[in-house]
């Protein structure tokens, strides 16, 4: 809830350049792997070390900008990529879409 109250429409994502991963039964904030950063991996996903976890246990934001720093076009592409990734199964993108429409 604290992250949600912070004001970002994508409050559930880790800060740029970081990912949330599972490690020994805990959720850990970690830097993105080089390849994930080069590919600008965003959304949910798996890593080679996820054998003990079902589904897509990691949350990626392996790109350099906050949503607020992005241009209108970048925001639209970012949200579209999150939708294609299936993130709406767990998180609501209404606020992000509203911010894009307002500009």
């Amino acid at each position: 809830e604290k992250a949600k109250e912070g004001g970002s429409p994508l409050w559930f994502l880790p800060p740029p350049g970081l990912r949330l991963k599972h490690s020994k039964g805990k959720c850990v904030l970690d830097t993105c792997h080089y390849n994930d950063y080069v590919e600008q991996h965003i959304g949910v996903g798996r890593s080679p070390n996820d054998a003990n976890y079902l589904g897509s246990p990691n949350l990626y934001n392996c790109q350099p900008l906050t949503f607020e720093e992005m241009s209108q076009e970048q925001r639209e592409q970012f949200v579209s990529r999150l939708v294609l990734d299936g993130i709406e199964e767990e998180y609501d993108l209404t606020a992000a879409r509203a911010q894009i429409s307002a500009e």
Side-chain angles (χ1 to χ4, degrees):
E1 282 300 308
K2 186 176 181 182
K4 192 173 186 178
E5 293 171 8
S8 174
L10 299 173
W11 58 269
F12 50 85
L13 286 178
L18 300 175
R19 64 188 177 127
L20 288 170
K21 67 174 188 169
H22 280 81
S23 178
K24 300 178 183 173
K26 296 181 181 179
C27 190
V28 177
L29 189 63
D30 192 20
T31 57
C32 293
H33 288 217
Y34 176 78
N35 288 341
D36 289 326
Y37 198 77
V38 169
E39 295 171 11
Q40 296 200 1
H41 188 173
I42 60 170
V44 294
R46 297 185 63 77
S47 74
N49 300 327
D50 291 335
N52 295 330
Y53 300 99
L54 301 175
S56 299
N58 304 319
L59 194 54
Y60 296 86
N61 192 7
C62 301
Q63 54 80 42
L65 301 174
T66 65
F67 192 69
E68 293 72 20
E69 293 172 325
M70 293 178 188
S71 69
Q72 175 79 5
E73 183 179 343
Q74 288 171 320
R75 289 179 185 184
E76 290 170 1
Q77 290 176 0
F78 193 84
V79 170
S80 292
R81 286 178 58 197
L82 290 173
V83 169
L84 290 173
D85 193 49
I87 206 159
E88 285 184 299
E89 293 176 21
E90 293 204 31
Y91 299 101
D92 186 4
L93 296 177
T94 303
R97 286 188 175 108
Q99 191 168 338
I100 291 168
S101 298
E103 294 181 2

